[in-house]
Amino acid sequence: KVNMVRIVPDWLMNAELSIKQEYLSAFQGGDGSRFAYQKNGNTFKPNLGITFQTTHNNYLEATIIYMNQIRNF
């Protein structure tokens, strides 16, 4: 999977928060990490393990864009 362009589809970028949460949970869970959050009154504290992607140099810029898409959820 290091030789491919990754993108987050528009429908997911525009999805409601609960759908994005499920995507992040599956994304992190696929590598053995987990997405969790703590609720304190009316505030939430999300916790996401260290996230990284391995890619070939030819796909580095596209992978950075992909990771920034995820970060901007």
Side-chain angles (χ1 to χ4, degrees):
K1 295 186 181 182
V2 299
N3 293 320
M4 62 185 290
V5 173
R6 300 169 181 92
I7 61 166
V8 176
D10 287 337
W11 68 264
L12 183 55
M13 290 299 296
N14 298 317
E16 62 184 60
L17 184 58
S18 64
I19 301 297
K20 292 177 180 180
Q21 268 184 319
E22 291 299 323
Y23 177 84
L24 287 174
S25 180
F27 177 81
Q28 289 297 104
D31 289 335
S33 298
R34 68 182 187 128
F35 176 77
Y37 66 91
Q38 296 174 337
K39 183 177 179 185
N40 184 9
N42 292 331
T43 62
F44 293 89
K45 182 179 178 183
N47 181 5
L48 190 61
I50 296 173
T51 302
F52 62 91
Q53 291 284 301
T54 303
T55 190
H56 189 274
N57 285 345
N58 293 341
Y59 300 97
L60 180 59
E61 188 170 329
T63 301
I64 290 170
I65 291 169
Y66 172 69
M67 296 301 286
N68 280 322
Q69 286 181 300
I70 292 171
R71 182 184 68 174
N72 291 323
F73 270 7

